[in-house]
Amino acid sequence: MSVRLPQNFSPATARSALDVLGAEIRVEKAASLERAGEAAGQAMAALHAAAPEDPARSRLLADAVDAVYGYFIQRELMGMASHGGVIRELRIPPEVLVRLGVKR
């Protein structure tokens, strides 16, 4: 079985529709990256604010690991493989970095 485009669907119209779809996808990728970055920043801020002896610190650490992992994955999906700047900017400590990818 084959599918045929409608006769009034010209190649120029198809390109235009694909351009619009591509633009929407790029906007959603950027918004998703922004949300992941904000979540990572908030999780890191909460972790930095917690005292070392705080009983909630282990939960905050796990939340930070999850948020940073999601942010790194989102960045990699968009072609940004280097995370050094983000690690410095968010002040991601080694205790978070060594847990990336570890499942609870």
Side-chain angles (χ1 to χ4, degrees), residues 19-53:
D19 289 344
V20 169
L21 178 61
E24 269 190 52
I25 289 170
R26 287 188 298 276
V27 166
E28 183 53 39
K29 281 182 172 182
S32 179
L33 180 64
E34 181 181 10
R35 287 189 302 270
E38 288 173 355
Q42 290 171 355
M44 290 309 308
L47 181 64
H48 289 306
E53 65 279 349

Side-chain angles (χ1 to χ4, degrees), residues 7-94:
Q7 298 301 323
N8 63 350
F9 203 68
S10 70
T13 304
R15 268 192 304 279
S16 176
L18 290 176
D19 289 344
V20 169
L21 178 61
E24 269 190 52
I25 289 170
R26 287 188 298 276
V27 166
E28 183 53 39
K29 281 182 172 182
S32 179
L33 180 64
E34 181 181 10
R35 287 189 302 270
E38 288 173 355
Q42 290 171 355
M44 290 309 308
L47 181 64
H48 289 306
E53 65 279 349
D54 189 341
R57 186 166 171 70
S58 63
R59 182 189 52 79
L60 293 172
L61 177 60
D63 291 347
V65 169
D66 288 345
V68 169
Y69 181 75
Y71 187 36
F72 282 6
I73 293 297
Q74 189 66 34
R75 286 175 49 84
E76 288 172 9
L77 288 170
M78 294 186 69
M80 296 178 245
S82 176
H83 305 300
V86 172
I87 292 169
R88 284 187 298 279
E89 182 181 329
L90 295 180
R91 299 176 318 150
I92 301 173

